[in-house]
Amino acid sequence: MSTDVLELPETAEQYRSLEEKVRLLRPKDDLAPLERAYRYAADLHVNQKRKSGEPYISHPLAVAHILADMHMDLVSIQTGILHDVLEDTSARLEDVRERFGEDVARCVDGVTKLSKISLANRDDRQAESLRKMLLAMTGDIRVIIVKLADRLHNMRTLGSLLPERQEAIAQETLEIYAPIAHRLGMGKVRGELEDLAFRTLHPEAATELMREIESKRQDHEQWLAQVQATIEQKLAREDIPACVDGRVKRAYSVYQKLKRQRITLDQVYDVMAVRIITDSVKNCYAALGVIHNEWHPVPGRIKDFIAMPRPNLYQSLHTSVIGPDGIAFEVQIRTEEMHKIAEEGIAAHWKYKEGSKGPRGDDQRIAWLRQLVEWQREMKDSGEFLSTLKVDLYSEEVYTFTPRGRVIVLPRDATPIDFAYAIHSDIGHTCVGARINGAIRPLKSTLRNGDVVEILTQPGHQPSRDWLGVVKTSRARNRIKHVINAAERAKAVEIGQKSLEKEARRLGVSLGRISNQDLETVASEYGVSKTEDLYAALGFGKFSARQVLQKVAPDDIPPESLPVPELPRISPPGTPSPLGDGDLTIHVKGADDVLVYRAKCCNPIRGERIVGYITRGKGVAVHSQQCPNVQNLMYEAERKIDVEWARSANDPLPVKVIVYTDDRPGILHQLTSILSAEQSNIRTLEARADHTRSDESAVVDITMEVRDKKQLERVINAFRRIPGVRDIERILTN
Ligand code: MN
């Protein structure tokens, strides 16, 4: 590229005047980065034209002008110049970052991402979520402000596009961008966006309305001048300093009023409005008194947004009064500060300050936030704006879509399972997979803003207990629990009934003789109401079938045949676990109060993966998942039950290991000092020569107490590091 872009006749002038504008606002700033941004963008867009035939670069430059007029900082203005290079040219984000720094790169990237989402023609009820999503997607509020400036310029130059395209953009502007400008308190931008969109979407109504407003303009202006003079005079008499400004309202706001109230233009109050800007809150109220003293207020139209600011922080006193010739008009009274916020909103906070280098990113935002919180305290009906801001700053929510474009709002880190339950319980229960943005992804993956999620279902599929550890919404959690509890209870009822029948056969008791009535009586003795609950309790192992039979048919079961419960002794030794107590270090998920014991065959310790197995009348046996018996036991899959290590209990558990070593002095001492360093008690220790081997080797059997798997691993690793130790084996049985 040999031509210097600063020599290009059409756009060099546009750039120069931008530079002048910024220099005036901030005389001490170095504007070299601005020029570099211009050169870079102009080079990249050099062969591109807008639909109107102008060189493309004229659009980003116009956006930069709008941002400069808003008094935005250099980062925003550079972003304005660069905002289309990623989308429309070969430029890469890395390159932008290298040339213009992290802030500009992040903002340009943000604007580009926003542009990729099509927001037009969505369901009306979704608009609010979409607006929130836009705010959530932008870590930096300047992204939104640049986007608004971009949209404003596009709306101003909409004419060269195809009619359908114009309409779509205008609709999106009205539904999404104008309300965001409103939300951010940027009244001027909002007003212009609305009027431009109004003209595109309802050209006839707009033309007619404007003609009507226009035809009365002269009358209006004369009338307004008269009112204005009266107000100035009265305020001066009361020593209230004020700047009084009369205006005819914007076409779109008049149109909305006409539509809402089904009236004609003649009947609209407040086509004309007067704004009084004074110096203090006290004088705002004083001015209101002056106005009401002069003209009659329209009842019910006095609004105090000073005491109760709008959620977007707008503050003013509003009143409508019957003016000269019986014409009603609206009066807005506010301070200078309130006016600035009303017109510029959040953008007011990027205003250049003489001598400062502009906002120091976060500081500025924190200051804004603090101010917000201050105002918030005085506000009663507040939630909306602050929660929006929260979304913006902390991204506590993610905004996702169904393939048809419905917005599903979920908490941060939500999964496709949450998404599925948000749509419908049945979709949740039967979901087996998810397609995110077209690619199959695990159900446990984390959703991000803008993801399009399609849920794959399989009829008859049941939610898995694992999901409980994954889902983020209480809706999903509750539905899953409900299904799982119902399924497990059904299992327990079946097992309970079978075990009662089996035990009855074994003891020669005829269940046929026992009425349901009798069983219900026993049930109530155990504190449950129905026979089914009794079976469930049996199935969960809360008591044994034999105990139940003894109650319903005491004569058939001789008391001496009552067996001693075959429960293993739980550590620490000397405190035997009575039946009904069980091992407190483990509990059954979703069911309290179930008798649990550690299986003797594998003696699982804390931290190991474990599975529960419902025994017949002896509670739940807990095995290590590696236990060879598990494979055999699990052929009765319905007896499997999820168990977990209790968080609170922390009793040490006995574990037996065999250490194979060289037969040399000092080994035993090294082994035991490791255990004492770990504060692990030794229950038994036995060393002997290994006669199975010809070399000089020894075997040490140790039963020690460990708190959990981690500690066991630490001990074993330390053992392994002892010179002469050849191998270590953990013996599962005690
Ligand atoms: Mn653009």
Side-chain angles (χ1 to χ4, degrees):
M1 216 89 37
S2 54
T3 1
D4 186 339
V5 290
L6 284 174
E7 306 293 315
L8 293 172
E10 308 99 315
T11 53
E13 180 48 40
Q14 202 184 353
Y15 172 72
R16 285 292 171 217
S17 66
L18 174 71
E19 207 182 73
E20 274 321 297
K21 204 177 269 180
V22 178
R23 200 188 306 286
L24 272 175
L25 292 163
R26 189 186 262 185
K28 286 174 189 157
D29 263 23
D30 173 18
L31 299 188
L34 200 64
E35 184 174 322
R36 277 195 290 118
Y38 168 60
R39 285 175 182 275
Y40 182 69
D43 261 354
L44 286 163
H45 290 298
V46 73
N47 289 320
Q48 298 170 347
K49 296 248 180 281
R50 298 200 82 203
K51 284 274 180 339
S52 60
E54 292 168 286
Y56 193 86
I57 189 69
S58 67
H59 162 65
L61 278 178
V63 172
H65 266 278
I66 292 172
L67 291 162
D69 289 336
M70 290 175 173
H71 300 206
M72 293 297 292
D73 64 352
L74 264 192
V75 167
S76 310
I77 298 172
Q78 287 180 87
T79 304
I81 296 176
L82 298 167
H83 80 269
D84 276 334
V85 298
L86 295 182
E87 179 92 3
D88 298 339
T89 78
S90 57
R92 287 173 49 246
L93 180 59
E94 279 317 304
D95 199 29
V96 173
R97 183 174 290 123
E98 247 168 61
R99 286 164 190 265
F100 304 103
E102 185 54 47
D103 281 0
V104 173
R106 191 184 54 241
C107 289
V108 171
D109 188 39
V111 176
T112 307
K113 277 185 183 143
L114 286 192
S115 308
K116 282 186 182 152
I117 300 173
S118 155
L119 303 163
N121 298 323
R122 301 250 196 219
D123 187 333
D124 229 25
R125 287 162 299 173
Q126 303 273 293
E128 177 56 23
S129 295
L130 285 167
R131 282 176 229 134
K132 274 191 174 180
M133 180 187 80
L134 287 196
L135 291 173
M137 285 180 70
T138 47
D140 191 320
I141 200 77
R142 286 175 292 190
V143 170
I144 285 283
I145 295 173
V146 173
K147 184 67 200 166
L148 287 171
D150 176 35
R151 178 49 57 108
L152 189 56
H153 185 248
N154 284 335
M155 287 301 294
R156 285 177 185 168
T157 55
L158 209 53
S160 28
L161 300 183
L162 291 172
E164 307 94 84
R165 193 76 196 109
Q166 290 189 23
E167 255 173 58
I169 293 176
Q171 193 68 42
E172 188 184 87
T173 301
L174 215 48
E175 284 174 0
I176 309 292
Y177 289 102
I180 285 180
H182 178 52
R183 178 75 48 86
L184 297 177
M186 302 165 75
K188 234 154 78 181
V189 172
R190 174 206 177 187
E192 189 177 350
L193 285 175
E194 282 181 347
D195 275 5
L196 290 165
F198 176 44
R199 245 178 274 165
T200 307
L201 292 172
H202 308 282
E204 280 158 31
T207 315
E208 195 189 337
L209 195 57
M210 288 192 199
R211 197 173 42 228
E212 252 185 279
I213 292 173
E214 239 7 82
S215 74
K216 291 181 183 153
R217 178 169 297 281
Q218 234 181 351
D219 295 347
H220 284 153
E221 277 173 1
Q222 264 177 18
W223 184 93
L224 271 172
Q226 187 200 329
V227 166
Q228 213 171 310
T230 312
I231 295 176
E232 276 166 359
Q233 194 194 335
K234 303 279 175 195
L235 291 177
R237 197 179 295 161
E238 302 295 325
D239 270 338
I240 301 168
C243 172
V244 182
D245 185 29
R247 71 202 168 96
V248 177
K249 282 197 167 174
R250 286 194 164 272
Y252 185 66
S253 73
V254 174
Y255 172 73
Q256 277 185 309
K257 196 160 277 183
L258 292 180
K259 245 178 53 177
R260 209 166 41 229
Q261 302 177 356
R262 299 175 186 282
I263 49 178
T264 64
L265 192 56
D266 291 332
Q267 296 168 281
V268 180
Y269 289 133
D270 338 328
V271 173
M272 282 167 295
V274 172
R275 185 174 294 146
I276 299 170
I277 295 168
T278 180
D279 62 341
S280 66
V281 169
K282 194 177 124 232
N283 276 336
C284 287
Y285 290 102
L288 184 70
V290 170
I291 297 293
H292 284 171
N293 198 35
E294 185 67 22
W295 296 290
H296 263 296
V298 178
R301 309 233 347 140
I302 305 163
K303 289 169 197 153
D304 185 348
F305 296 118
I306 291 180
M308 299 262 282
R310 282 188 171 153
N312 65 6
L313 305 181
Y314 176 88
Q315 287 187 295
S316 260
L317 298 173
H318 287 194
T319 183
S320 289
V321 295
I322 312 293
D325 313 322
I327 298 173
F329 69 104
E330 187 185 70
V331 184
Q332 300 174 351
I333 307 167
R334 52 178 86 144
T335 65
E336 190 71 57
E337 171 99 35
M338 294 172 193
H339 183 60
K340 210 170 72 184
I341 303 252
E343 294 282 290
E344 297 165 12
I346 204 164
H349 293 260
W350 267 268
K351 284 240 166 166
Y352 295 126
K353 283 191 196 101
E354 188 65 38
S356 93
K357 279 218 161 190
R360 269 170 304 145
D362 280 344
D363 281 2
Q364 197 77 8
R365 274 166 69 182
I366 288 163
W368 165 257
L369 242 188
R370 263 200 220 109
Q371 202 168 351
L372 247 177
V373 172
E374 282 303 310
W375 275 319
Q376 198 69 23
R377 273 200 205 113
E378 302 160 29
M379 285 163 77
K380 290 210 176 96
D381 180 20
S382 57
E384 197 190 7
F385 187 62
L386 200 67
S387 66
T388 306
L389 210 84
K390 216 163 63 187
V391 164
D392 170 28
L393 291 173
Y394 307 116
S395 305
E396 286 181 346
E397 291 174 322
V398 287
Y399 298 82
T400 57
F401 298 101
T402 67
R404 285 189 187 166
R406 194 177 137 203
V407 182
I408 305 289
V409 185
L410 297 167
R412 190 173 55 175
D413 294 336
T415 64
I417 303 171
D418 294 293
F419 184 96
Y421 276 100
I423 297 173
H424 194 280
S425 302
D426 290 343
I427 306 280
H429 294 332
T430 57
C431 78
V432 290
R435 202 173 276 137
I436 302 176
N437 303 323
I440 298 280
R441 307 279 306 142
L443 279 176
K444 294 175 183 183
S445 38
T446 304
L447 295 177
R448 284 176 306 186
N449 271 316
D451 279 349
V452 177
V453 185
E454 187 186 343
I455 297 295
L456 312 172
T457 59
Q458 195 180 79
H461 187 264
Q462 293 273 307
S464 126
R465 192 178 266 286
D466 298 350
W467 291 3
L468 288 175
V470 174
V471 296
K472 292 289 177 295
T473 54
S474 51
R475 180 187 167 91
R477 184 165 298 116
N478 291 339
R479 305 286 150 100
I480 295 166
K481 265 192 195 158
H482 184 78
V483 170
I484 286 177
N485 289 346
E488 252 154 31
R489 194 184 126 86
K491 242 193 273 174
V493 168
E494 201 190 317
I495 292 168
Q497 189 168 11
K498 274 186 193 154
S499 77
L500 192 71
E501 284 162 7
K502 196 178 159 196
E503 192 67 0
R505 260 199 312 280
R506 203 174 68 80
L507 294 170
V509 178
S510 160
L511 273 180
R513 286 196 297 116
I514 297 162
S515 69
N516 198 38
Q517 185 90 51
D518 293 339
L519 282 173
E520 270 180 14
T521 311
V522 177
S524 70
E525 269 178 55
Y526 279 110
V528 295
S529 60
K530 284 184 302 182
T531 313
E532 209 183 66
D533 299 327
L534 185 69
Y535 290 145
L538 268 175
F540 279 131
K542 286 184 186 171
F543 33 81
S544 71
R546 187 182 196 97
Q547 289 171 313
V548 172
L549 287 171
Q550 243 232 314
K551 284 185 192 281
V552 287
D555 303 340
D556 295 348
I557 302 169
E560 62 267 24
S561 72
L562 261 178
V564 175
E566 276 178 49
L567 276 177
R569 285 153 65 101
I570 310 295
S571 65
T575 53
S577 307
L579 181 66
D581 187 3
D583 193 329
L584 294 174
T585 61
I586 302 169
H587 63 79
V588 173
K589 288 191 194 173
D592 304 325
D593 203 21
V594 176
L595 179 65
V596 176
Y597 66 93
R598 291 157 71 230
K600 280 183 282 182
C601 52
C602 55
N603 188 28
I605 58 168
R606 173 181 294 280
E608 278 186 314
R609 292 160 86 62
I610 47 179
V611 321
Y613 173 78
I614 301 169
T615 64
R616 295 189 193 276
K618 282 190 293 183
V620 172
V622 176
H623 296 260
S624 154
Q625 221 159 51
Q626 259 121 41
C627 174
N629 287 335
V630 165
Q631 287 296 317
N632 297 330
L633 291 171
M634 288 308 157
Y635 73 94
E636 278 183 287
E638 78 277 2
R639 288 175 164 247
K640 193 178 154 190
I641 191 161
D642 285 327
V643 288
E644 62 190 3
W645 294 98
R647 208 164 278 173
S648 52
N650 207 11
D651 298 331
L653 304 171
V655 171
K656 189 172 178 184
V657 296
I658 301 178
V659 183
Y660 299 90
T661 74
D662 292 349
D663 189 6
R664 66 169 181 79
I667 289 253
L668 276 187
H669 174 69
Q670 281 175 298
L671 291 172
T672 53
S673 56
I674 285 168
L675 289 172
S676 89
E678 277 288 341
Q679 295 186 313
S680 160
N681 285 337
I682 301 169
R683 288 203 183 173
T684 63
L685 188 146
E686 192 189 316
R688 57 195 149 88
D690 186 354
H691 300 297
T692 63
R693 297 172 64 108
S694 53
D695 56 352
E696 300 209 328
S697 57
V699 181
V700 186
D701 292 344
I702 308 172
T703 303
M704 60 198 181
E705 288 178 353
V706 296
R707 283 186 303 276
D708 56 17
K709 191 179 167 212
K710 274 205 190 112
Q711 193 186 21
L712 178 65
E713 282 166 358
R714 254 196 330 267
V715 167
I716 287 183
N717 285 335
F719 282 178
R720 280 192 208 287
R721 282 194 296 270
I722 299 173
V725 168
R726 300 173 184 178
D727 199 6
I728 300 162
E729 203 181 318
R730 176 176 168 204
I731 303 302
L732 293 177
T733 46
N734 271 353

